[in-house]
Amino acid sequence: MSDLTATAPGRAAPRMAGRVKAAIILFILFALMPPLASALDDPFYVLIGTRILAYAIAALALDLILGYGAMVSFGHAAYLGFGSYAVAILSSYGINDLGLQLLFGITLSAVFALITGAISLRTQGVYFIMITLAFGQMAFFFFISLSAYGGDDGYGLSERSTLMGIDILQSDFGLYYVTLALLIAMFVLCHRIVMSRFGRVLTGIRENPTRMEAIGYSPFRYQLTAFIISGCITSVAGVLLANQAQFVSPAFMSWHRSGELIVMVVLGGVGTLTGPIGGAVAALLLEEWLGALSEHWRLWFGIFLVLMVLFSPRGITGVLERMGIVRTRQ
Amino acid sequence: MTGLDVKNLSKSFGALKVTDDVSLRVEPGEVHAIIGPNGAGKTTLISQLSGQLASDAGSVSIGDRDITHLSMPERVKLGLARSFQITSILPGFTALENVALAVQARRGSSFRFFGNVAGEAELNEAAMSALAEAGLDDRAEVLAKSLSHGEHRRLELAIALATDPKVLLLDEPLAGVGGEDAEAFVSRLQTFKGRFTMVLIEHDMDAVFALADRVSVLVYGKLIATGKPEDVRSDPAVRAAYLGEEEVA
Amino acid sequence: MMNLFVLQLLNGVQLGVLLFLIAAGLTLVFGIMDVINLAHGVLYMVGAYLIATFAAATGNFWWGLLLMLPAAVLVGMVLEFVVMRRLYARSHLDQVLATFGLVMIASEAVKMIWGTSPLSVPMPEILSGAVPLMGPLKYPVYRIAVIVAGLAVAVGLFVLVNYTRVGMLLRAGATNRSTVSALGVDINRLFSVVFTLGAVLACLAGALVAPILSVDTGMGESVLILTFVVVVIGGIGSIKGAFLGALLVAIVDTVGGVFGPIWLRQILDPAAAGQVGRVLGPMLVYILMAVILFAKPAGLFGRRA
Amino acid sequence: MLDVAGLESAYGDSQILFGIDFRVKEGEVVTLLGRNGMGKTTTVKSIFGLVKPRAGSVKINGQNLTGADPHRIALAGLGYVPEGRQVFPTLNVEENLRATARPGKWTLQRIYELFPRLEERRRNMGNQLSGGEQQMLAIGRALMTNPKLVVLDEATEGLAPLIRADIWACLERLKSEGEAILVIDKNVDALTKFADRHVVIEKGRVVWTGTTEQILATPDVKDRFLHV
Amino acid sequence: QDVPAGASDDVLKIGLVYTLSGPPAALGEQARDGFMLFAEKIGEIGGMETEIIVVDDEGRPDLAADKARELVQRDEVDFVVGPIFSNILMAIHQPVTSTGTVLISTNAGTSTLAGEGCTPNFFVTSYQNDQIHEVMGAYAENQGYQNVFLMTPNYQAGKDSQAGFKHSYTGGTAGEIYTELGQLDFSSELAQIAAFQPDAVFTFMPGGMGVNLVKQYSQAGLTSIPFLSAFTVDETTLPATQDAALGLLGGANWAPDMENEANETFVTEYIAKYEHVPGTYAMQAYDAAQLIDSAVRKVGGDLTDRAALMAAIKEADFDSPRGDFSFGPNNFPIQDFYLVEAVKREDGYFGTSIVEKIFDDYADNYADQCEM
Ligand SMILES: Nc1ncnc2c1ncn2[C@@H]1O[C@H](COP(=O)(O)OP(=O)(O)OP(=O)(O)O)[C@@H](O)[C@H]1O
Ligand SMILES: Nc1ncnc2c1ncn2[C@@H]1O[C@H](COP(=O)(O)OP(=O)(O)OP(=O)(O)O)[C@@H](O)[C@H]1O
Ligand SMILES: [Mg+2]
Ligand SMILES: [Mg+2]
């Protein structure tokens, strides 16, 4: 009855169109934000915006496996950590190129995802949640004990990365637009994967793994591949976060952070790709906004979450559906 | 045409011997029915043949290929397909998508990350024709979870057909197919005769005797009889263990 | 060395019982009703705060405990009625989101009511003091009392779940609610009673450990993950599993934490052993869980669906 | 005993039932007939409140229980053998039988007499049973609630001929003991031996009702459902 | 030196960054209250119209970095005061100091920022982290202990703490243990202590861990073994440990019962306003407020002359409740350190009390690595 996924649709094709439209609208809004912020004389929001976009990438990546593969990873913050420590480690050797940092972060993540994914995929459901948590915590404790990079205190970065020798990222606007570009690229990537043959197999395994085996698929290979892809995309978010904060710390990879990523995905709408982007924006903006209004913002945020679940089973996507703004059912 | 050769297959759950030294030859192109009381081990046998359950002892081969140690997906690739007694479908997919996935498993790589699978005419056409063969083409666009029970049974068959099997293992395909529709269903199965080898488990004796070339009877995990339908039907041991009097009439 | 080993084993057992006491309510709600309740830790915290308040008001631990119980029933019932009953039929992820919200609400509310400074609960007079155990080692009486309470809860739950109609209906209802109700059982009422029981157990655990542990706003969060680990290692839905899981986690933690570095020193040079020990120490529990789930993907006593 | 009038039901936007009317009197055996997907199961689910009807009424012993909670309907005297068995996988056979039992003449003992196979498997979990064993369990479970009206949705699916015959015998005995039965089954031939009346559903509407004699006298219906 | 954007207007803006949610919120609240106590009493800090913006870093470094930037770039504050934790300090240090804004840490004092990473516009009113541990080490050394059991949580600060202790302690150790961060139950460690019977136990267990340890230490009947601690027995944990902590020892740069006029004013007013005893968190933030006040007055409210402002701050011309206070070359304090003990005060509250002075005018060990 209550399986691990909300009823994310298998009928990807006709529903997708609406979501892509919603995503395009979101991206346009994102692109307009910095000029608007400058016009309102608050360029500072660009920096907050960058953080939100980076989390959106992570939420998107998590949705790829959570929404389409029923793999609820509770250790995904580890990949944020690999991405950000890739920046720290390379920069301590004087390598500041964003491309190389991305490559290094992705490589670290791929290896970690390959090993831990192969073990975790022996389990299912809540057991999978907990075993991914275990691996996430191991990564967390590993970085805590990594004295060379400040251990628990973290490691400050003296400057942001360069992009092919150009220091476009030094300006907050530059960093913002590079992050946005990467978000769009990752969205396109995930969207195409979901629509592809591979994506259909992945979704099929979520629906009924025994049936899939009986028609000739071995679920493990597909799930593991998706798991690795998701980890790699999340590490991109980590690289960007490190640049945004100019600081890395194991706090980036604590289980709280993994939990928050899940909250963003579920809040936005599981298995919709666009939803989790919206979820990340909503969660972080709300936090920012409520935090400014009241010292007890957690209370209000909590109430918001509970009401959301009780009255809109499919998160923000569900609300929009009901208002007729997004159509996802036939 | 490929046959199926089963030698000394056994399986126990704890102390319970569910299949006990079962040996069986299914000739190429034959429809071979397996009947027997509830809990005799028929489904277990199918699961062993399809690779879903590992056998304790014995061997299975199709054609002259020994598949005893292959996994379920590997066996499917060699042409061994099964349907499930208890409906097992992808509930959130449409009927068409359910079947198209089965087609895809046999055609080209599934490690394609780009390209819109919903638009692949090649897959959809093959899937439609499998649906049509199972009599479900008019429900192609309906989500599988909103199909009725009888429709689920047809979907089971369509999926199995779509894997393009050489040997098809059918576990009670008629269960839940209503009286009126059952006859049509049997004649549909009849048209598959000769296209591939079939192992058929069924409690519907009308269907068994209409379709089967040979019948084996499994009781408490042991094969107690194999032979032509007429012979099995009149076998007193079979009557006592399974048929009773009413159904033969 | 041998003495220490035996004593550590004993300590492991006692920490295990403590963990089980906290995990017991979670096993019931998560393992059997199949509802993921992240707010379990919060209930545990509320129990501790309640007894701290009542004990301070009456100046007596036992009165505090006695008053805490009806308050806990009330908390459980309100929570069930307002939120949880709407979540039973929902997906696990929805439950995670909603109860995550509850955690935020409750921790903030606790902070608003009781402030951020940790509170104290006095140890009851007759249970304070320690009994001598080998050599200079002593063992606090109160901990013995906690062990006894934990064992009683374990036995009670085991019987409830495995040998009573209520237990059967719960297990049935977790997998197929509509069929259970179509067979004539008011599953909603049953679930609300059991959820309340789980909540009371959580509060009770919080109340019982309050004299030993710090009563602060973080106490719920720090045990939450550990109790999930315990339940998962044991196998979801198994009281026996949760009990053994709790013991295992505790023993690995206590014995491994102490003897791990000692053993490491025999194969590595001391500096390296120290470093490896420091890295492995906090991971031990997680490594244990990963290894168990690798070998038994559904936990020690879990049933593979 | 059971009085269904003008029942309309839908799943989301798609309406399935468009006005179903029939009654089952005390001690009567009624069948629901119809091809796959015509709405038989939906009718039963609507009676039990598992699907909330949009219109129409369900009365049990004169009491209007339209869309009431399922357990209230069951407590009013209805026993349910759901389509697709729905045994509880995490309970063993005996627990499956006892969990929802209510006192009455059906006891564990009698169920085991009816289905000796279940007694042999009494320690197996619900999901460790063969298809047919699960079906027996589902029937036994419904009887253990000691209902006045048993509703069986495809209860003999997957049962061996001998067992099927046993079930028919059992239903006949139930009938003789004064219990009412509403049954959906494809083996109409066997049912006609003791069924009193038949209701044919097509596309969510009742298109024919009548007694067994009337079926035999109506060539169209007879050809479709009977082989005699 | 950069001149921050907000320096030229005539409002004095101060941003406070503290951890005000989650379990460690008690520490952040004390610090905030200590700062506000002075600010509200005097009304206009430095004689200027004052605006104070309080932000909660939630204990999350990345968020803290953003919030610090927000204070500096959007709100254009003149001073940032905070935080409690070292990892937060590391995260906000660069964003704040790089703009020329003055950062005053009232608690965290990490070694990197005391040595090579020192900057002219970063000041500390607490201490360098290692110093408190050195106090306990020196005390153990003075007592002639030969066999001390070290136990700290397994993270950077825990490791630094053992190093700090051993910096001034030369005797042997009965065990050097790292416990899990956030550990609940210390029975296994306590069993080891009981088995080894060391001369003393040295520990560093901030927050709830410390409460648990102290309660269990007394329940296990180990109070006969001297308990030397840092950040374990203080005014934030004493309300929870109460009698269990009585007699346990700690190291500090101050205690609420110090006898001087500034301290009496501070403690009395604090207790009157907040109804609990202030801890060092509150005292050090109170001093930060006094520090800003004194410096701004010295420059006559002209915040654009940065050199003059820095010099004015460096003079530290105010009466600290702790007595002697001056800045060393790295802008970390030079001050006295004491052994303190948990007591029940005359007013019924629990608090720490000075036992003896361990170091006089003590500077940290990193100052000579600082070049500025
Ligand atoms: N996982 C299991 N553990 C223990 N016993 C099992 C398990 N699965 C099946 N059995 C038992 O094995 C026996 C054979 O089951 P199987 O499903 O093969 O029967 P079947 O011949 O297909 O019967 P039916 O005609 O009723 O479907 C049954 O008695 C069943 O109880
Ligand atoms: N959960 C559901 N959601 C949407 N539509 C459904 C659902 N269940 C059944 N339907 C549709 O309702 C119609 C009637 O289904 P129902 O199960 O009542 O048929 P039935 O007469 O019992 O058929 P069968 O003999 O195959 O069991 C079918 O067209 C089916 O597709
Ligand atoms: Mg079977
Ligand atoms: Mg039906």
Side-chain angles (χ1 to χ4, degrees):
Chain A
M1 181 95 244
S2 62
D3 59 333
L4 278 164
T5 47
T7 48
R11 261 190 77 70
R15 287 177 199 176
M16 210 23 130
R19 289 201 199 118
V20 171
K21 254 182 247 156
I24 291 172
I25 294 173
L26 268 182
F27 294 147
I28 293 174
L29 289 179
F30 290 154
L32 292 179
M33 201 280 275
L36 203 70
S38 318
L40 294 174
D41 207 23
D42 242 342
F44 176 73
Y45 282 121
V46 175
L47 209 63
I48 296 183
T50 309
R51 179 158 57 89
I52 293 178
L53 294 188
Y55 275 111
I57 295 179
L60 174 74
L62 182 59
D63 191 35
L64 182 67
I65 53 170
L66 189 157
Y68 296 88
M71 290 176 271
V72 184
S73 168
F74 195 12
H76 239 50
Y79 302 99
L80 282 180
F82 287 123
S84 46
Y85 273 93
V87 177
I89 292 169
L90 287 188
S91 88
S92 75
Y93 290 103
I95 303 173
N96 273 323
D97 184 70
L98 187 73
L100 290 177
Q101 290 167 342
L102 284 173
L103 195 69
F104 185 45
I106 289 176
T107 313
L108 283 179
S109 299
V111 172
F112 187 74
L114 174 72
I115 297 169
T116 62
I119 297 173
S120 307
L121 280 169
R122 285 176 59 85
T123 64
Q124 279 173 357
V126 177
Y127 297 101
F128 184 85
I129 300 184
M130 294 307 287
I131 196 168
T132 49
L133 166 77
F135 287 121
Q137 288 295 90
M138 288 181 204
F140 172 70
F141 286 120
F142 175 78
F143 281 102
I144 277 193
S145 64
L146 203 64
S147 309
Y149 294 94
D152 182 63
D153 284 349
Y155 186 83
L157 301 166
S158 51
E159 56 194 330
R160 292 190 187 143
S161 315
T162 53
L163 187 61
M164 293 181 285
I166 315 166
D167 54 2
I168 169 176
L169 301 181
Q170 298 314 328
S171 97
D172 289 349
F173 277 59
L175 180 63
Y176 181 89
Y177 281 110
V178 168
T179 308
L180 179 58
L182 281 169
L183 171 63
I184 296 174
M186 295 304 137
F187 176 80
V188 171
L189 178 72
C190 290
H191 175 66
R192 301 210 50 183
I193 289 178
V194 166
M195 304 284 289
S196 71
R197 282 186 168 212
F198 177 84
R200 187 178 269 183
V201 175
L202 189 64
T203 328
I205 294 166
R206 174 195 72 193
E207 295 274 317
N208 186 344
T210 319
R211 177 29 103 186
M212 291 299 282
E213 276 188 83
I215 56 179
Y217 297 99
S218 41
F220 178 78
R221 295 164 51 199
Y222 297 91
Q223 290 179 308
L224 185 60
T225 309
F227 191 78
I228 295 173
I229 293 174
S230 171
C232 292
I233 297 178
T234 310
S235 74
V236 171
V239 168
L240 293 166
L241 269 183
N243 271 294
Q244 188 267 352
Q246 286 183 258
F247 174 76
V248 306
S249 119
F252 284 21
M253 47 209 308
S254 74
W255 67 265
H256 290 97
R257 208 50 62 86
S258 300
E260 281 159 16
L261 288 179
I262 295 179
V263 167
M264 290 174 192
V265 172
V266 183
L267 180 64
V270 172
T272 58
L273 294 185
T274 312
I277 297 179
V281 175
L284 295 171
L285 272 188
L286 206 64
E287 189 178 316
E288 197 76 27
W289 178 64
L290 288 175
L293 284 186
S294 154
E295 185 191 336
H296 302 297
W297 65 270
R298 279 159 197 267
L299 185 76
W300 303 112
F301 195 83
I303 291 174
F304 168 76
L305 288 182
V306 172
L307 292 180
M308 229 18 223
V309 176
L310 293 190
F311 297 106
S312 174
R314 289 163 53 74
I316 296 173
T317 310
V319 173
L320 296 180
E321 270 169 14
R322 249 186 275 173
M323 287 163 45
I325 296 173
V326 181
R327 282 167 58 97
T328 51
R329 272 164 222 279
Q330 301 133 300
Chain B
M1 197 61 61
T2 325
L4 182 71
D5 203 359
V6 181
K7 288 202 186 97
N8 311 98
L9 220 51
S10 295
K11 175 80 195 172
S12 303
F13 291 118
L16 183 70
K17 247 192 162 176
V18 182
T19 54
D20 191 356
D21 200 23
V22 174
S23 297
L24 186 67
R25 255 200 80 77
V26 183
E27 301 301 334
E30 180 187 26
V31 176
H32 195 113
I34 298 177
I35 60 174
N38 294 117
K42 304 180 294 297
T43 300
T44 307
L45 181 62
I46 293 271
S47 294
Q48 288 174 270
L49 297 181
S50 68
Q52 191 182 353
L53 275 180
S55 301
D56 298 339
S59 69
V60 187
S61 33
I62 60 172
D64 35 14
R65 173 96 198 242
D66 185 342
I67 59 169
T68 315
H69 301 293
L70 297 187
S71 72
M72 181 150 55
E74 286 163 336
R75 294 185 198 205
V76 179
K77 294 239 148 71
L78 290 174
L80 185 72
R82 76 168 290 185
S83 77
F84 288 89
Q85 176 179 10
I86 298 172
T87 304
S88 177
I89 41 127
L90 311 175
F93 281 46
T94 62
L96 181 69
E97 286 166 345
N98 264 280
V99 182
L101 254 176
V103 178
Q104 180 183 327
R106 297 286 304 231
R107 299 207 184 160
S109 166
S110 285
F111 276 96
R112 275 198 213 155
F113 298 97
F114 298 103
N116 185 350
V117 62
E120 286 192 50
E122 180 202 7
L123 298 183
N124 289 344
E125 278 161 20
M128 265 325 264
S129 72
L131 277 175
E133 281 185 302
L136 207 60
D137 40 343
D138 53 334
R139 307 285 278 165
E141 292 298 331
V142 180
L143 286 186
K145 67 171 165 224
S146 346
L147 293 175
S148 81
H149 187 61
E151 289 164 338
H152 281 152
R153 306 302 308 159
R154 291 170 208 221
L155 185 56
E156 276 282 341
L157 179 67
I159 292 174
L161 289 177
T163 61
D164 192 11
K166 298 194 178 94
V167 178
L168 181 58
L169 312 173
L170 292 170
D171 196 355
E172 299 200 28
L174 267 99
V177 178
E180 278 181 275
D181 300 307
E183 283 165 34
F185 205 96
V186 170
S187 33
R188 186 163 284 133
L189 289 179
Q190 217 130 28
T191 63
F192 302 144
K193 267 190 124 165
R195 216 165 98 190
F196 36 70
T197 310
M198 260 193 278
V199 175
L200 172 72
I201 293 182
E202 209 20 272
H203 289 300
D204 183 328
M205 287 307 114
D206 295 341
V208 168
F209 294 122
L211 284 168
D213 299 314
R214 281 195 303 156
V215 178
S216 290
V217 184
L218 196 66
V219 176
Y220 281 109
K222 283 198 160 65
L223 277 186
I224 60 163
T226 295
K228 292 226 157 21
E230 311 77 69
D231 303 340
V232 170
R233 191 197 283 235
S234 49
D235 184 330
V238 176
R239 284 175 165 253
Y242 180 64
L243 290 175
E245 295 309 316
E246 172 213 23
E247 298 279 336
V248 200
Chain C
M1 197 53 103
M2 198 56 212
N3 266 0
L4 187 60
F5 185 80
V6 172
L7 192 76
Q8 289 302 33
L9 215 57
L10 208 75
N11 276 322
V13 171
Q14 101 57 40
L15 175 63
V17 172
L18 196 73
L19 278 181
F20 174 77
L21 201 57
I22 305 171
L26 189 71
T27 327
L28 202 63
V29 174
F30 172 43
I32 296 152
M33 287 164 61
D34 198 32
V35 175
I36 296 195
N37 179 19
L38 297 184
H40 184 80
V42 163
L43 289 167
Y44 162 77
M45 169 176 74
V46 166
Y49 271 98
L50 285 176
I51 198 171
T53 310
F54 291 132
T58 59
N60 180 309
F61 175 86
W62 300 109
W63 276 114
L65 190 65
L66 214 65
L67 289 172
M68 187 274 317
L69 287 171
V73 171
L74 194 71
V75 168
M77 274 167 50
V78 169
L79 191 61
E80 203 279 337
F81 187 77
V82 178
V83 181
M84 296 312 290
R85 66 169 43 183
R86 286 156 237 270
L87 295 177
Y88 296 145
R90 301 284 286 274
S91 76
H92 277 161
L93 283 176
D94 282 349
Q95 295 165 356
V96 166
L97 191 63
T99 55
F100 187 84
L102 285 179
V103 171
M104 297 184 91
I105 297 174
S107 339
E108 200 60 40
V110 165
K111 207 175 115 184
M112 286 162 75
I113 299 171
W114 283 287
T116 47
S117 296
L119 299 186
S120 135
V121 175
M123 182 147 293
E125 209 44 56
I126 41 165
L127 296 181
S128 49
V131 289
L133 215 72
M134 358 171 197
L137 310 174
K138 292 190 208 134
Y139 209 71
V141 178
Y142 189 79
R143 284 176 180 253
I144 297 175
V146 170
I147 294 183
V148 172
L151 290 176
V153 168
V155 172
L157 275 188
F158 188 78
V159 170
L160 175 77
V161 170
N162 292 303
Y163 297 104
T164 66
R165 276 272 292 269
V166 170
M168 288 176 209
L169 288 172
L170 275 178
R171 282 181 282 143
T175 48
N176 199 334
R177 288 169 57 78
S178 58
T179 305
V180 173
S181 65
L183 286 164
V185 175
D186 187 348
I187 190 85
N188 284 326
R189 208 186 58 201
L190 181 72
F191 268 38
S192 60
V193 168
V194 172
F195 179 86
T196 306
L197 176 64
V200 170
L201 281 176
C203 288
L204 182 69
L208 288 183
V209 300
I212 318 181
L213 302 183
S214 130
V215 179
D216 62 41
T217 52
M219 67 186 293
E221 210 172 272
S222 58
V223 298
L224 180 67
I225 289 293
L226 208 55
T227 43
F228 269 98
V229 169
V230 162
V231 170
V232 162
I233 283 183
I236 296 164
S238 163
I239 301 285
K240 187 169 63 176
F243 190 75
L244 289 176
L247 285 184
L248 205 60
V249 164
I251 289 173
V252 164
D253 200 36
T254 42
V255 179
V258 172
F259 288 89
I262 297 176
W263 290 323
L264 277 174
R265 239 167 278 156
Q266 308 192 328
I267 45 172
L268 295 170
D269 70 275
Q275 183 56 27
V276 174
R278 237 167 64 71
V279 180
L280 287 187
M283 294 188 195
L284 267 182
V285 168
Y286 295 101
I287 293 175
L288 172 75
M289 174 162 77
V291 167
I292 287 182
L293 291 186
F294 181 76
K296 304 204 74 173
L300 292 177
F301 294 95
R303 300 186 187 112
R304 204 99 160 98
Chain D
M1 162 97 236
L2 174 68
D3 193 342
V4 177
L7 204 60
E8 293 183 28
S9 290
Y11 295 104
D13 290 340
S14 59
Q15 184 160 1
I16 304 296
L17 301 185
F18 299 87
I20 300 276
D21 305 83
F22 69 90
R23 324 173 54 158
V24 182
K25 296 202 215 68
E26 211 86 24
E28 194 180 35
V29 177
V30 176
T31 72
L32 284 183
L33 307 178
R35 297 180 39 204
N36 288 140
M38 289 301 155
K40 304 182 294 291
T41 300
T42 309
T43 302
V44 170
K45 284 189 175 167
S46 305
I47 292 172
F48 272 92
L50 292 167
V51 170
K52 302 286 172 207
R54 287 218 177 144
S57 69
V58 175
K59 291 197 185 119
I60 300 169
N61 291 327
Q63 192 189 358
N64 188 343
L65 286 171
T66 319
D69 280 344
H71 71 268
R72 287 189 48 214
I73 292 166
L75 292 177
L78 265 59
Y80 185 34
V81 183
E83 179 178 78
R85 310 169 182 100
Q86 311 287 350
V87 301
F88 305 125
T90 50
L91 270 60
N92 68 27
V93 168
E94 196 155 315
E95 289 173 335
N96 259 285
L97 291 171
R98 283 176 43 209
T100 54
R102 287 194 293 277
K105 60 186 181 202
W106 284 101
T107 58
L108 209 55
Q109 209 50 50
R110 273 191 76 186
I111 300 291
Y112 284 155
E113 274 163 28
L114 181 63
F115 302 119
R117 188 80 202 193
L118 289 184
E119 187 161 22
E120 287 172 38
R121 292 281 177 273
R122 51 204 280 263
R123 297 272 165 251
N124 276 36
M125 286 301 171
N127 60 354
Q128 297 173 338
L129 293 177
S130 82
E133 289 162 349
Q134 289 184 13
Q135 195 65 66
M136 299 175 206
L137 185 55
I139 297 173
R141 185 179 63 184
L143 292 178
M144 287 285 282
T145 68
N146 284 294
K148 293 206 259 323
L149 166 66
V150 197
V151 180
L152 303 104
D153 191 351
E154 317 257 5
T156 61
E157 171 184 330
L159 289 182
L162 262 178
I163 307 289
R164 221 181 300 159
D166 284 351
I167 304 261
W168 300 140
C170 162
L171 292 187
E172 266 188 272
R173 202 161 79 211
L174 282 179
K175 181 185 174 182
S176 69
E177 291 172 17
E179 270 168 85
I181 300 172
L182 176 63
V183 52
I184 301 174
D185 206 284
K186 63 177 186 175
N187 298 284
V188 188
D189 293 348
L191 278 172
T192 49
K193 295 203 179 107
F194 60 96
D196 300 301
R197 283 186 311 111
H198 307 272
V199 178
V200 178
I201 296 181
E202 209 143 276
K203 302 217 167 108
R205 291 186 173 82
V206 174
V207 294
W208 191 90
T209 53
T211 61
T212 301
E213 293 79 59
Q214 283 170 320
I215 273 207
L216 293 172
T218 316
D220 176 33
V221 181
K222 180 182 137 196
D223 289 349
R224 277 174 51 200
F225 296 106
L226 301 178
H227 299 100
V228 229
Chain E
Q1 183 87 58
D2 291 344
V3 179
S8 50
D9 56 23
D10 43 2
V11 183
L12 177 67
K13 279 195 178 178
I14 303 171
L16 303 188
V17 180
Y18 286 119
T19 305
L20 297 172
S21 47
L27 315 187
E29 287 181 355
Q30 276 225 1
R32 178 196 60 196
D33 293 347
F35 192 95
M36 296 308 286
L37 180 69
F38 184 80
E40 281 165 16
K41 181 170 71 169
I42 194 158
E44 299 194 323
I45 294 183
M48 289 175 77
E49 188 190 328
T50 308
E51 187 184 329
I52 296 175
I53 305 168
V54 183
V55 300
D56 176 9
D57 61 46
E58 299 175 31
R60 295 167 47 169
D62 54 336
L63 189 86
D66 266 9
K67 298 235 161 155
R69 284 196 189 94
E70 193 172 333
L71 287 172
V72 174
Q73 293 178 16
R74 187 181 64 186
D75 304 324
E76 302 183 339
V77 298
D78 303 296
F79 294 87
V80 173
V81 177
I84 299 293
F85 295 101
S86 300
N87 57 350
I88 306 278
L89 177 62
M90 292 305 290
I92 67 173
H93 180 262
Q94 199 272 346
V96 175
T97 56
S98 65
T99 61
T101 310
V102 176
L103 174 62
I104 302 177
S105 169
T106 66
N107 191 56
T110 42
S111 52
T112 42
L113 299 180
E116 286 168 15
C118 67
T119 33
N121 53 343
F122 172 63
F123 295 85
V124 172
T125 62
S126 49
Y127 37 73
Q128 199 281 313
N129 286 349
D130 299 353
Q131 290 179 305
I132 302 289
H133 312 301
E134 287 165 19
V135 172
M136 299 320 295
Y139 174 73
E141 185 76 7
N142 295 347
Q143 295 293 309
Y145 293 149
Q146 285 311 317
N147 194 21
V148 178
F149 189 89
L150 310 183
M151 165 163 77
T152 59
N154 193 352
Y155 69 127
Q156 194 60 31
K159 221 178 134 189
D160 292 348
S161 136
Q162 296 205 3
F165 182 85
K166 285 193 271 184
H167 181 84
S168 41
Y169 169 72
T170 55
T173 57
E176 296 172 21
I177 283 196
Y178 290 104
T179 61
E180 213 172 302
L181 203 56
Q183 184 158 331
L184 295 175
D185 192 281
F186 292 93
S187 50
S188 111
E189 289 77 8
L190 295 178
Q192 290 184 67
I193 293 171
F196 292 144
Q197 290 290 320
D199 294 342
V201 172
F202 167 70
T203 188
F204 157 64
M205 288 286 166
M209 286 186 292
V211 175
N212 290 346
L213 175 63
V214 165
K215 282 183 156 188
Q216 293 165 17
Y217 194 77
S218 100
Q219 285 161 14
L222 290 171
T223 33
S224 57
I225 302 174
F227 184 89
L228 318 179
S229 67
F231 308 106
T232 307
V233 179
D234 64 22
E235 284 72 15
T236 60
T237 58
L238 279 169
T241 49
Q242 301 201 344
D243 295 327
L246 291 184
L248 303 190
L249 303 171
N253 54 357
W254 163 88
D257 69 343
M258 279 179 84
E259 286 174 6
N260 65 57
E261 199 184 325
N263 190 44
E264 271 150 33
T265 318
F266 165 62
V267 175
T268 323
E269 287 175 0
Y270 188 98
I271 294 181
K273 189 160 177 189
Y274 302 112
E275 295 175 348
H276 59 254
V277 184
T280 50
Y281 306 99
M283 184 277 290
Q284 289 156 178
Y286 181 83
D287 272 1
Q290 294 203 74
L291 175 66
I292 296 174
D293 180 59
S294 73
V296 174
R297 276 179 208 281
K298 265 192 203 304
V299 297
D302 175 14
L303 302 176
T304 51
D305 183 349
R306 305 304 287 175
L309 180 64
M310 300 304 159
I313 298 176
K314 197 125 187 176
E315 280 179 43
D317 188 8
F318 63 93
D319 289 332
S320 170
R322 71 191 97 170
D324 296 350
F325 181 98
S326 61
F327 282 117
N330 55 352
N331 294 350
F332 275 61
I334 297 177
Q335 57 191 328
D336 303 339
F337 286 92
Y338 304 89
L339 181 76
V340 298
E341 178 189 16
V343 297
K344 186 156 193 173
R345 295 158 51 96
E346 279 164 16
D347 55 14
Y349 292 118
F350 290 86
T352 56
S353 166
I354 304 277
V355 179
E356 61 176 279
K357 188 188 276 188
I358 304 288
F359 292 130
D360 194 55
D361 286 342
Y362 188 57
D364 61 271
N365 306 312
Y366 301 90
D368 36 339
Q369 292 167 30
C370 167
E371 294 163 17
M372 62 181 179

